[in-house]
Amino acid sequence: MKLNTLFEQKKIVFSFEVFPPKKTSSIQTIYDTLDALSDLNPDFISVTYGAGGNPADHSTVEIASTIKHKYHIEPLAHLTCLNSTKEHIGQVLNELRENEIENILALRGDRNPDVPPKTDYRYARDLIEELNHHGEFDIAAACYPEVHPECPDMEEDILHLKEKVNAGASHLISQLFFDNNDFYNFLYRVREAGIMVPVEAGIMPVTNRKQIERMVSLCGASLPKKFVKIMHRYGDDPAAMQDAGIAYAVEQIVDLISNGVQGIHLYTMNNPLIARRISQSVASLIRCSNRAE
């Protein structure tokens, strides 16, 4: 099933993200994670591209196929293009077809200062255009409530976002954020720019200090004072920080649902315990909202 139909059928779409294990870990670890997540009944599960975005890693398609055929949950396969040739992208598309995977999150991918990028694709928009020409995939794209780290301002970032939607992206998944007002302000400007496709809010429960420091450095998300106080008070107590991080994520989700968000995309970090606690905390809200629809 193509995911764009979900947003037509439901008022709130609830989804997870998982990632392939590192090369030093067994592939079985992700299957153990999926076993623990599957009974939570997400609307779909996205799978990031390879181990650390490695284009030579084929585990994304393998994991996405397992999600679809073993757990009967729709997968969303990430596909990055900055370090890929058209030939390689064609090979991946053939693998997706063979495994009956219809949904792709089309991304540029992160720059690696030690590896010169390929020249076939410069931006996610270029990949989306190519995928759209095939006509057989539903295409999602990423968006950044606090502006893409490489973009000078929100105006230009939304211009690029509109290019991705015009190229064929049917829905958007946001980068993580910790202040819902940043998301609401972003969504207002997106709609004002004439971008009307569904936007899922990306939520990451932060359960340890190192995790938040790494995430902020990678994506540039800002930390509101409320969250900084939580981190300072509980950051040195792993159990307390986990409980506080889960509570903060649940509070974000409750507020987002109450304000009519079209979807919640939970970055699980392959931690089924945390995903379960959050999912169970908001399940009745999602059911109530979807019944109202």
Side-chain angles (χ1 to χ4, degrees), residues 90-291:
Q91 292 171 354
V92 175
L93 296 182
N94 285 334
E95 292 178 15
L96 292 171
R97 291 187 192 98
E98 290 168 2
N99 287 274
E100 301 178 312
I101 297 166
E102 302 175 275
N103 303 290
I104 296 173
L105 177 58
L107 304 162
R108 187 200 68 179
D110 296 328
R111 297 186 187 276
N112 185 335
D114 300 321
V115 179
K118 301 291 191 295
T119 58
D120 290 0
Y121 305 93
R122 291 188 62 194
Y123 305 110
R125 174 200 63 214
D126 302 327
L127 177 60
I128 293 169
E129 285 180 347
E130 182 163 323
L131 294 174
N132 194 43
H133 289 155
H134 288 274
E136 58 195 295
F137 298 101
D138 182 56
I139 310 162
C143 60
Y144 298 81
E146 297 181 77
V147 183
H148 190 284
E150 297 179 21
C151 202
D153 54 48
M154 180 67 77
E155 287 75 15
E156 184 171 330
D157 202 22
I158 290 180
L159 176 63
H160 295 321
L161 184 61
K162 191 166 188 176
E163 291 173 349
K164 290 193 282 189
V165 172
N166 289 342
S170 71
H171 53 106
L172 304 170
I173 299 176
S174 90
Q175 180 58 276
L176 62 92
F177 57 91
F178 299 103
D179 186 336
N180 284 4
N181 286 326
D182 289 333
F183 181 80
Y184 298 141
N185 291 336
F186 166 76
L187 191 59
Y188 173 81
R189 298 183 71 168
V190 163
R191 299 309 186 211
E192 192 176 42
I195 301 171
M196 308 310 281
V197 299
V199 181
E200 270 198 290
I203 298 297
M204 177 176 286
V206 176
T207 57
N208 65 72
R209 188 189 296 270
K210 287 185 178 179
Q211 180 191 11
I212 184 57
E213 290 171 350
R214 181 175 181 272
M215 288 301 105
V216 170
S217 67
L218 285 175
C219 69
S222 60
L223 298 178
K225 289 182 179 179
K226 179 179 179 180
F227 188 87
V228 172
K229 288 180 179 179
I230 290 172
M231 188 171 65
H232 286 166
R233 185 172 183 86
Y234 304 113
D236 295 326
D237 185 323
M241 187 63 217
Q242 176 171 288
D243 287 345
I246 289 171
Y248 191 92
V250 169
E251 184 178 355
Q252 276 193 275
I253 294 170
V254 170
D255 182 72
L256 289 163
I257 291 173
S258 300
N259 281 280
V261 72
Q262 292 168 288
I264 301 292
H265 190 63
L266 186 64
Y267 295 105
T268 71
M269 301 303 291
N270 288 11
N271 190 321
L273 172 63
I274 293 172
R276 179 171 297 277
R277 287 180 60 184
I278 292 173
S279 299
Q280 291 175 340
S281 295
V282 301
S284 61
L285 280 70
I286 293 172
R287 285 196 302 270
C288 179
S289 296
N290 283 331
R291 281 200 306 268

Side-chain angles (χ1 to χ4, degrees), residues 6-110:
L6 282 173
F7 294 95
E8 299 170 359
Q9 298 169 356
K10 295 189 172 189
K11 189 171 183 179
I12 298 175
V13 172
F14 186 60
S15 57
F16 294 157
E17 178 176 294
V18 299
F19 53 83
K22 296 179 180 178
K23 288 186 176 181
T24 54
S25 301
S26 168
I27 191 70
Q28 185 60 41
T29 60
I30 186 61
Y31 296 135
D32 292 341
T33 296
L34 292 171
D35 278 338
L37 290 175
S38 59
D39 71 317
L40 297 174
N41 300 314
D43 291 305
F44 68 88
I45 298 178
S46 76
V47 189
T48 63
Y49 189 50
N54 178 9
D57 191 309
H58 296 274
S59 57
T60 296
V61 176
E62 177 185 338
I63 295 166
S65 182
T66 299
I67 291 169
K68 184 177 182 73
H69 298 293
K70 179 178 179 180
Y71 299 104
H72 307 291
I73 298 170
E74 283 301 320
L76 173 66
H78 292 213
L79 184 58
T80 65
C81 63
L82 185 67
N83 295 309
S84 295
T85 62
K86 286 183 179 289
E87 180 182 8
H88 173 73
I89 292 295
Q91 292 171 354
V92 175
L93 296 182
N94 285 334
E95 292 178 15
L96 292 171
R97 291 187 192 98
E98 290 168 2
N99 287 274
E100 301 178 312
I101 297 166
E102 302 175 275
N103 303 290
I104 296 173
L105 177 58
L107 304 162
R108 187 200 68 179
D110 296 328

